[in-house]
Structure formats: structure tokens, C-alpha cells
Amino acid sequence: MLERPVSIESKESLPENPEEKILRTYEVEWDREIQGGANECRWIKLKNDGSGIFKPASGEATKITEEVRRDAGSELREKVKKGTYYKHERAAWLIDSALNWDMVPTTVIREVDGKVGSFQKHAPGLVAARTDWKKIPETQLKKLFVLDYILYSSDRRAENLLVDGKKVHAIDNGLVLDNDFFAPYIKLNPDDDDPPASFYRTAIIPKLAGAVKKFLNNPEAQQKLRSQLLELVTEYEVDACFARMKHVVELAKHKEGLPHFDFLEFYPPIQ
């Protein structure tokens, strides 16, 4: 059963910057379905300004292949339930925005043709599957890895990553923040042309840890993000996310290299 959609008039959803307001309130000029994927996905052009990708809550996990259905049933993940992906999409942008990393395109919750879902600003670029990862700036890939750990993304495939020159956009963030498994952009099979695990097992770039530490040292920013997230996901998911942020800072403080991604815990002990 689908959960009741979050109110688009809730306190969290009220626009806080001009871009959010445009995405949430501008009238739809036209929309068309995007083929492929497990969820209903629509390309929407707004009147006067911009375009983006709309994913209605009612269309989540409705296009699962028979092979996936045989293995996993009607859900894409055990913990992140269909009908909540759109909330996780918004939550991922809020976290990225709080860290000022600008990797997740602006994402809001809005209604289109009577359906509530996530609406993400169109981001330029090619999917990483069509790009040689060695040509992507190292700092961008490592920032993505740390962000995906903070989000605990279970779906960062090359298809869910756009590369625009030296800029990386993390898209398709519906399967984050719950304890299914951590699946960053990394080589999993010998035939994959993705970064190997060894690429990430270096000391965390100080600038990344510094941005996380700056956020954690700002009680007002923490409370604002926590309040926003609690309208979208569970308190346990929020607490675990903040614990991962603190773990990132601890790893950087001790100049430790990142452990293998299999050993990066969902809810690490807080030092």
C-alpha cells in the first residue's frame, strides 16, 4: 500500500529560494513519459522557465521487470518502500544543499495532474555509463562517494550519474537513507568500466570533511535540516545520517583512509 503523500503545503515544502518556487509552482506547459526504469518518470517543461523530471509516488516500482519481481517481489528494496521514494529524492537534495556541495539538482515535491511526487530540475550532461570515468575530476568522484555514504545510497549506478564536463550531477536518489546496503559508483564486476574500490581508499579530501564539520558546528543549520528531514523520513534515518556525517569527520581527523565500502556502517558509533 502506498503511504499517504506528504502535503505539498507543509512547512518544509514551502519555497526557500527562487529556484524551488519555480519548480514547485510554475504551470506545466507540456510533459511526456520517459521510457525505461522501474518507476514512472515524466519529462516536464514549465511555462516561462525551466524543465525537469517528475516522478509521481503512485508510479513508484510499477515497471519492475519479471526477473526483478521473481527475485525481490514488488519492492525495489526491503527497507525503502515504494510510495516513499519521492520523499527520499527531496531529502537527498536537502542534505546536499546543507553541505553546499551542489551535486544533487534542486528537488521539490509538487503535484502534477492530481499526482504528488518529486520534481527535479533538469541537469545537463551524459550518463556516466557513456563517459570514461578517468576523465571525471578526482575531487568530484570522491565528493560523490562521501555524499553517497552520508546518504547511504543503494543505487548509485553509472546510469544514475550525469557528467557535464568537469561537473557531476547525482540523480535518481529515491533509494537512500535506509539500511538496505551501500552501493556507491564503483566497479562491482570485472567487465564494469567503473572506478575500482582502491580509487576511493585514500584519505578524505580535507575540504570535504571541512564542509561536513562546518555544518555539524552550526546548531541552527543542524536543527533546520533535521526538521525538514523529519517531515520526509523517519527519525532513525535522520539520526543515522547525522552519525555518518560525524564518522566522516572522525576519519578525516585521524587522517585515516576510507575503509572498503563494505565496512562503512549505516549507523556508525558516535565518538
Side-chain angles (χ1 to χ4, degrees):
M1 176 180 291
L2 296 178
E3 289 195 2
R4 182 181 177 184
V6 66
S7 170
I8 59 175
E9 299 300 334
S10 70
K11 180 179 178 182
E12 190 284 311
S13 299
L14 292 176
E16 294 182 323
N17 64 51
E19 193 163 73
E20 287 179 271
K21 183 176 181 180
I22 288 171
L23 292 173
R24 197 176 72 86
T25 64
Y26 275 34
E27 190 176 346
V28 174
E29 184 173 333
W30 52 257
D31 77 290
R32 62 188 59 160
E33 184 176 2
I34 298 174
Q35 300 298 323
N39 307 306
E40 180 183 348
C41 190
R42 308 196 70 83
W43 174 276
I44 286 181
K45 175 68 173 64
L46 299 176
K47 285 188 177 180
N48 303 318
D49 198 331
S51 61
I53 305 301
F54 178 68
K55 299 177 183 178
S58 59
E60 294 176 0
T62 56
K63 298 161 67 177
I64 297 178
T65 65
E66 285 303 315
E67 181 180 1
V68 171
R69 198 178 300 277
R70 285 195 301 270
D71 293 340
S74 62
E75 298 278 1
L76 293 177
R77 295 291 183 272
E78 179 183 351
K79 302 291 177 60
V80 185
K81 299 299 185 182
K82 64 182 179 181
T84 71
Y85 302 167
Y86 76 107
K87 298 179 185 179
H88 289 79
E89 293 265 10
R90 167 72 173 171
W93 177 74
L94 288 170
I95 293 166
D96 174 73
S97 181
L99 296 173
N100 291 310
W101 280 356
D102 191 30
M103 301 204 85
V104 178
T106 304
T107 308
V108 301
I109 291 174
R110 70 166 291 169
E111 185 176 299
V112 175
D113 293 335
K115 297 180 179 181
V116 173
S118 64
F119 185 43
Q120 185 173 88
K121 179 186 176 182
H122 165 67
L126 295 173
V127 293
R130 301 179 187 174
T131 304
D132 182 354
W133 70 267
K134 300 180 187 67
K135 295 181 180 178
I136 304 172
E138 178 180 337
T139 53
Q140 285 281 294
L141 288 176
K142 290 185 175 178
K143 183 194 289 187
L144 174 72
F145 185 93
V146 175
L147 175 64
D148 276 336
Y149 174 54
I150 290 171
L151 296 176
Y152 216 72
S153 173
S154 66
D155 197 32
R156 184 62 67 212
R157 299 172 290 115
E159 292 79 9
N160 293 342
L161 183 63
L162 295 178
V163 180
D164 180 27
K166 295 183 178 182
K167 172 71 176 172
V168 165
H169 301 283
I171 61 171
D172 291 335
N173 298 298
L175 301 176
V176 301
L177 292 176
D178 219 328
N179 191 15
D180 281 295
F181 49 84
F182 179 39
Y185 177 45
I186 205 165
K187 182 189 286 290
L188 297 176
N189 301 303
D191 294 333
D192 290 345
D193 186 24
D194 297 329
S198 59
F199 175 79
Y200 296 106
R201 294 183 68 182
T202 56
I204 296 173
I205 299 170
K207 188 175 180 180
L208 298 181
V212 180
K213 186 176 181 179
K214 180 179 179 181
F215 168 77
L216 292 174
N217 286 337
N218 186 333
E220 184 178 342
Q222 283 194 65
Q223 185 55 48
K224 176 183 176 182
L225 179 61
R226 178 176 290 276
S227 297
Q228 291 173 315
L229 292 178
L230 286 174
E231 290 199 12
L232 301 167
V233 299
T234 68
E235 185 174 13
Y236 181 71
E237 288 174 295
V238 176
D239 289 343
C241 176
F242 276 66
R244 292 191 296 273
M245 289 188 193
K246 293 176 182 177
H247 189 46
V248 165
V249 172
E250 284 298 312
L251 289 171
K253 184 170 65 177
H254 298 296
K255 301 188 185 305
E256 298 177 16
L258 288 170
H260 189 279
F261 69 98
D262 283 341
F263 296 98
L264 286 168
E265 298 174 81
F266 172 74
Y267 204 145
I270 299 175
Q271 301 296 322

